[in-house]
């Protein structure tokens, strides 16, 4: 398809479709846990997981050098505070709205945790969540904010902490402001720094392009593995919960499109140009792994300046994830509340739930497990049994696919809307036909 110059978007969709079909064939030809299927998955992981690791490899260098480059190119600086404030406002605000949507969906579908059979897997998952909660529930909001700060930036470059990406953003911003100070007083040194940053930026972007060309293959392998190993019986028995979750996620995505429309931009254009990062987020279930695609779509297709795109994408990894930190914890709380005699429709309980969800959305990890982390914080704050968060373990991967895509959409929309408000968006690039743009 590449040799025939088929567009990159179509190749990505082709990879998705082939992966689904191939996964279904394997699922029905071989039983779960069979030797053939287990060995096949090892090879799928070589391509799929290998691709995600390559994306994660470039995340920290990309975020760091892109933000620093934004300062040397004077695309951010005096308006740094305004940009950061707008992005955070959109991320946290949309997460609060997502919580309301999740509550509504749970009420409309009459979800109740007592309807779910608590088997061995659910019990083990609940015990794991209770064990993990001891490290989570005692963290106050000020402590969560302090955790975002880089005590050792070199440690954060290794991704050692869930908030490492934000820490690298902060470190890059400090260096950026330092550069602006040098530029005012030491022009010769500033010129040398700018040339060095531009050279490293060009090198990193070349690596990003090389990795992104592998996207169709990565999506094919990940999707084949996911479908081949899915428990369709569990999905069928918990179909009501899966449908309710995806209805809520679809409504939140519709709200994202509404925000785009209110910004004076075409939402259909947004869907076309954001399709690749959203598809990859859906298949990989990793917001962090999707970050290079997220930034690339904003800067090369949607007309968002590099600085804003990097801040929006990076902040969106650990703050205000609409799917994992918004919809999911809110739905769980409504489902679990009746089990302890709490009326989930009591106004004060609902207001408290929305507020807790918004506040708890700080510091949610952008990798697998972020939704569990958010659920622990919310359920513990409301004095609800944390172990019951493990009841949906059998359909967790399926629901997590949609949640991750909505997370990524929220961060992209915050970048686009911020650029629109500050007047920095390139509308010509945004409106340019996708066929004329390259990855």
């Amino acid at each position: 398809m590449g040799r025939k110059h088929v567009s990159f978007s179509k190749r990505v969709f082709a990879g998705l479709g082939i992966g689904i079909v191939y996964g279904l064939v394997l699922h029905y030809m071989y039983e779960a846990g069979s030797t053939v299927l287990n060995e096949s998955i090892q090879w799928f992981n070589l391509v799929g997981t290998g691709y995600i690791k390559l994306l994660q490899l470039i995340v920290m260098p990309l975020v760091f050098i892109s933000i620093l480059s934004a300062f040397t190119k004077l695309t951010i600086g005096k308006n740094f505070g305004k940009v950061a404030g707008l992005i955070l406002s959109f991320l946290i605000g949309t997460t609060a709205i997502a919580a309301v949507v999740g509550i509504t969906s749970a009420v409309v579908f009459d979800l109740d945790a007592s309807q779910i059979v608590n088997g061995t897997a659910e019990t083990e998952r609940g015990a794991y969540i209770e064990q993990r909660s001891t490290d989570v529930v005692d963290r106050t909001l000020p402590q969560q904010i302090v955790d975002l700060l880089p005590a050792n930036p070199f440690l954060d470059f290794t991704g050692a902490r869930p908030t490492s990406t934000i820490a690298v953003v902060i470190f890059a911003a400090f260096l950026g402001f330092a550069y602006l100070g040098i530029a005012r007083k030491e022009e010769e040194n500033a010129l040398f720094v700018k040339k060095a940053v531009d050279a490293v930026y060009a090198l990193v972007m070349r690596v990003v392009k090389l990795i992104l060309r592998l996207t169709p293959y990565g999506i094919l392998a990940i999707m084949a593995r996911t479908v081949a190993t899915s428990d369709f019986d569990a999905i069928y028995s918990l179909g009501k919960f899966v449908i309710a979750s995806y209805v809520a996620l679809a409504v939140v995505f519709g709200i994202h499109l509404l925000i785009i429309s209110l910004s004076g931009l075409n939402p259909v254009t947004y869907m076309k140009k954001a399709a690749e990062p959203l598809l990859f987020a859906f298949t990989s279930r990793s917001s962090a792994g999707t970050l290079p695609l997220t930034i690339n779509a904003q800067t090369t297709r949607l007309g968002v300046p590099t600085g804003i795109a990097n801040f929006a994408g990076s902040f969106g990894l650990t703050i205000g994830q609409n799917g994992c930190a918004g919809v999911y914890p809110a739905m769980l709380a409504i489902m679990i509340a009746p089990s302890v005699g709490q009326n989930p429709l009591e106004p004060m309980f609902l207001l408290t739930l929305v507020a807790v969800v918004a506040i708890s959305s700080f510091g949610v990890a952008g990798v697998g497990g972020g939704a569990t982390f958010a659920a622990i914080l919310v359920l513990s704050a409301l004095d609800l049994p944390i172990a019951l968060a493990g009841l949906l373990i059998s359909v967790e991967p399926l629901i997590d696919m949609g949640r991750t895509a909505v997370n990524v959409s929220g961060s992209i929309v915050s970048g686009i809307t911020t650029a629109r408000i500050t007047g920095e968006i390139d509308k010509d690039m945004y409106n340019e036909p996708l066929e004329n743009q390259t990855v």
Side-chain angles (χ1 to χ4, degrees), residues 196-218:
V197 170
D198 289 345
V200 175
Y201 178 78
L203 181 64
V204 170
M205 290 308 297
R206 177 56 58 181
V207 175
V208 170
K209 289 180 180 180
L210 290 174
I211 295 174
L212 292 188
R213 287 173 181 168
L214 302 174
T215 301
Y217 307 100

Side-chain angles (χ1 to χ4, degrees), residues 356-404:
V356 168
V357 165
I359 294 172
S360 299
S361 66
F362 278 87
V364 176
V367 295
T372 300
F373 185 88
I376 291 173
L377 289 172
V378 171
L379 295 179
S380 62
L382 297 172
D383 292 325
L384 297 176
I386 297 172
L388 293 182
L391 290 177
L392 299 177
I393 182 176
S394 56
V395 292
E396 182 80 8
L398 180 62
I399 297 174
D400 197 39
M401 294 166 75
R403 289 192 310 231
T404 308

Side-chain angles (χ1 to χ4, degrees), residues 232-412:
F232 292 143
D233 291 335
I235 294 172
Y236 177 78
S237 63
L238 293 173
K240 180 180 178 181
F241 299 91
V242 174
I243 292 172
S245 297
Y246 270 91
V247 167
L249 293 171
V251 171
V252 174
F253 183 70
I255 292 172
H256 292 168
L257 298 181
L258 178 61
I259 293 172
I260 294 290
S261 298
L262 294 175
S263 300
L265 300 171
N266 190 332
V268 177
T269 301
Y270 165 73
M271 286 193 292
K272 290 180 179 178
K273 295 190 175 184
E276 285 160 21
L278 296 183
L279 272 176
F280 185 75
F282 184 83
T283 55
S284 69
R285 298 165 52 203
S286 171
S287 299
T290 312
L291 183 59
L293 288 161
T294 302
I295 295 172
N296 179 76
Q298 291 183 75
T299 56
T300 65
R301 295 183 174 178
L302 295 165
V304 179
T306 303
I308 294 177
N310 275 274
F311 275 107
S314 302
F315 281 143
L317 289 186
T318 54
I319 296 174
Q321 295 193 344
N322 292 178
C324 289
V327 171
Y328 183 67
M331 291 185 70
L332 271 182
I334 295 298
M335 290 168 54
I336 294 172
S339 66
V340 294
Q342 171 67 53
N343 178 10
L345 298 181
E346 185 179 297
M348 186 54 64
F349 176 81
L350 294 175
L351 289 174
T352 304
L353 174 56
V354 173
V356 168
V357 165
I359 294 172
S360 299
S361 66
F362 278 87
V364 176
V367 295
T372 300
F373 185 88
I376 291 173
L377 289 172
V378 171
L379 295 179
S380 62
L382 297 172
D383 292 325
L384 297 176
I386 297 172
L388 293 182
L391 290 177
L392 299 177
I393 182 176
S394 56
V395 292
E396 182 80 8
L398 180 62
I399 297 174
D400 197 39
M401 294 166 75
R403 289 192 310 231
T404 308
V406 169
N407 293 344
V408 171
S409 177
S411 65
I412 295 176

